[in-house]
PDB file of all heavy atoms in Angstrom:
ATOM      1  N   LEU A  89     114.029 125.636 138.377  1.00  0.00           N
ATOM      2  CA  LEU A  89     114.510 124.406 139.042  1.00  0.00           C
ATOM      3  C   LEU A  89     115.983 124.446 139.295  1.00  0.00           C
ATOM      4  O   LEU A  89     116.748 125.195 138.551  1.00  0.00           O
ATOM      5  CB  LEU A  89     114.286 123.221 138.091  1.00  0.00           C
ATOM      6  CG  LEU A  89     112.810 122.700 138.047  1.00  0.00           C
ATOM      7  CD1 LEU A  89     112.562 122.022 136.731  1.00  0.00           C
ATOM      8  CD2 LEU A  89     112.603 121.742 139.175  1.00  0.00           C
ATOM      9  N   ALA A 109     113.491 124.826 133.441  1.00  0.00           N
ATOM     10  CA  ALA A 109     113.501 123.534 132.721  1.00  0.00           C
ATOM     11  C   ALA A 109     112.097 122.977 132.690  1.00  0.00           C
ATOM     12  O   ALA A 109     111.896 121.870 132.222  1.00  0.00           O
ATOM     13  CB  ALA A 109     114.444 122.587 133.364  1.00  0.00           C
ATOM     14  N   CYS A 110     111.075 123.688 133.266  1.00  0.00           N
ATOM     15  CA  CYS A 110     109.728 123.162 133.226  1.00  0.00           C
ATOM     16  C   CYS A 110     108.786 124.038 132.472  1.00  0.00           C
ATOM     17  O   CYS A 110     107.568 123.832 132.391  1.00  0.00           O
ATOM     18  CB  CYS A 110     109.207 122.936 134.678  1.00  0.00           C
ATOM     19  SG  CYS A 110     107.997 121.622 134.850  1.00  0.00           S
ATOM     20  N   HIS A 112     107.882 127.209 133.062  1.00  0.00           N
ATOM     21  CA  HIS A 112     107.027 128.112 133.809  1.00  0.00           C
ATOM     22  C   HIS A 112     107.240 129.537 133.356  1.00  0.00           C
ATOM     23  O   HIS A 112     106.350 130.417 133.492  1.00  0.00           O
ATOM     24  CB  HIS A 112     107.349 127.998 135.335  1.00  0.00           C
ATOM     25  CG  HIS A 112     107.033 126.648 135.911  1.00  0.00           C
ATOM     26  ND1 HIS A 112     107.144 126.309 137.249  1.00  0.00           N
ATOM     27  CD2 HIS A 112     106.619 125.450 135.239  1.00  0.00           C
ATOM     28  CE1 HIS A 112     106.808 125.014 137.425  1.00  0.00           C
ATOM     29  NE2 HIS A 112     106.526 124.513 136.251  1.00  0.00           N
ATOM     30  N   GLU A 144     105.862 126.124 142.700  1.00  0.00           N
ATOM     31  CA  GLU A 144     105.221 124.859 142.216  1.00  0.00           C
ATOM     32  C   GLU A 144     106.150 123.638 142.376  1.00  0.00           C
ATOM     33  O   GLU A 144     105.640 122.577 142.684  1.00  0.00           O
ATOM     34  CB  GLU A 144     104.750 125.016 140.761  1.00  0.00           C
ATOM     35  CG  GLU A 144     103.786 123.854 140.319  1.00  0.00           C
ATOM     36  CD  GLU A 144     104.536 122.563 140.017  1.00  0.00           C
ATOM     37  OE1 GLU A 144     105.647 122.523 139.579  1.00  0.00           O
ATOM     38  OE2 GLU A 144     103.946 121.470 140.413  1.00  0.00           O
ATOM     39  N   GLU A 145     107.427 123.846 142.149  1.00  0.00           N
ATOM     40  CA  GLU A 145     108.430 122.754 142.099  1.00  0.00           C
ATOM     41  C   GLU A 145     108.684 122.343 143.538  1.00  0.00           C
ATOM     42  O   GLU A 145     109.712 122.734 144.119  1.00  0.00           O
ATOM     43  CB  GLU A 145     109.664 123.142 141.365  1.00  0.00           C
ATOM     44  CG  GLU A 145     109.453 123.502 139.901  1.00  0.00           C
ATOM     45  CD  GLU A 145     109.164 122.236 139.024  1.00  0.00           C
ATOM     46  OE1 GLU A 145     109.106 121.136 139.589  1.00  0.00           O
ATOM     47  OE2 GLU A 145     108.973 122.432 137.817  1.00  0.00           O
ATOM     48  N   HIS A 171      99.718 123.346 131.486  1.00  0.00           N
ATOM     49  CA  HIS A 171     101.210 123.079 131.525  1.00  0.00           C
ATOM     50  C   HIS A 171     101.542 122.640 130.107  1.00  0.00           C
ATOM     51  O   HIS A 171     100.861 121.953 129.423  1.00  0.00           O
ATOM     52  CB  HIS A 171     101.480 121.877 132.462  1.00  0.00           C
ATOM     53  CG  HIS A 171     102.882 121.951 132.960  1.00  0.00           C
ATOM     54  ND1 HIS A 171     103.980 121.724 132.179  1.00  0.00           N
ATOM     55  CD2 HIS A 171     103.401 122.206 134.237  1.00  0.00           C
ATOM     56  CE1 HIS A 171     105.093 121.891 132.824  1.00  0.00           C
ATOM     57  NE2 HIS A 171     104.761 122.154 134.166  1.00  0.00           N
ATOM     58  N   LEU A 369     110.592 117.658 130.002  1.00  0.00           N
ATOM     59  CA  LEU A 369     110.568 118.630 131.122  1.00  0.00           C
ATOM     60  C   LEU A 369     111.646 118.200 132.116  1.00  0.00           C
ATOM     61  O   LEU A 369     111.879 117.036 132.286  1.00  0.00           O
ATOM     62  CB  LEU A 369     109.227 118.572 131.765  1.00  0.00           C
ATOM     63  CG  LEU A 369     108.009 119.085 130.901  1.00  0.00           C
ATOM     64  CD1 LEU A 369     106.731 118.761 131.631  1.00  0.00           C
ATOM     65  CD2 LEU A 369     108.130 120.525 130.520  1.00  0.00           C
ATOM     66  N   HIS A 370     112.235 119.157 132.750  1.00  0.00           N
ATOM     67  CA  HIS A 370     113.327 118.998 133.762  1.00  0.00           C
ATOM     68  C   HIS A 370     114.672 118.469 133.103  1.00  0.00           C
ATOM     69  O   HIS A 370     115.550 118.034 133.829  1.00  0.00           O
ATOM     70  CB  HIS A 370     112.930 118.071 134.852  1.00  0.00           C
ATOM     71  CG  HIS A 370     111.798 118.585 135.722  1.00  0.00           C
ATOM     72  ND1 HIS A 370     111.516 118.207 137.039  1.00  0.00           N
ATOM     73  CD2 HIS A 370     110.810 119.524 135.443  1.00  0.00           C
ATOM     74  CE1 HIS A 370     110.510 118.851 137.523  1.00  0.00           C
ATOM     75  NE2 HIS A 370     110.028 119.632 136.596  1.00  0.00           N
TER      76      HIS A 370
HETATM   77 ZN1   ZN B 426     108.344 120.704 136.836  1.00  0.00          ZN
END
Side-chain angles (χ1 to χ4, degrees):
L89 284 153
C110 206
H112 298 183
E144 191 286 322
E145 297 287 1
H171 206 293
L369 298 172
H370 294 205

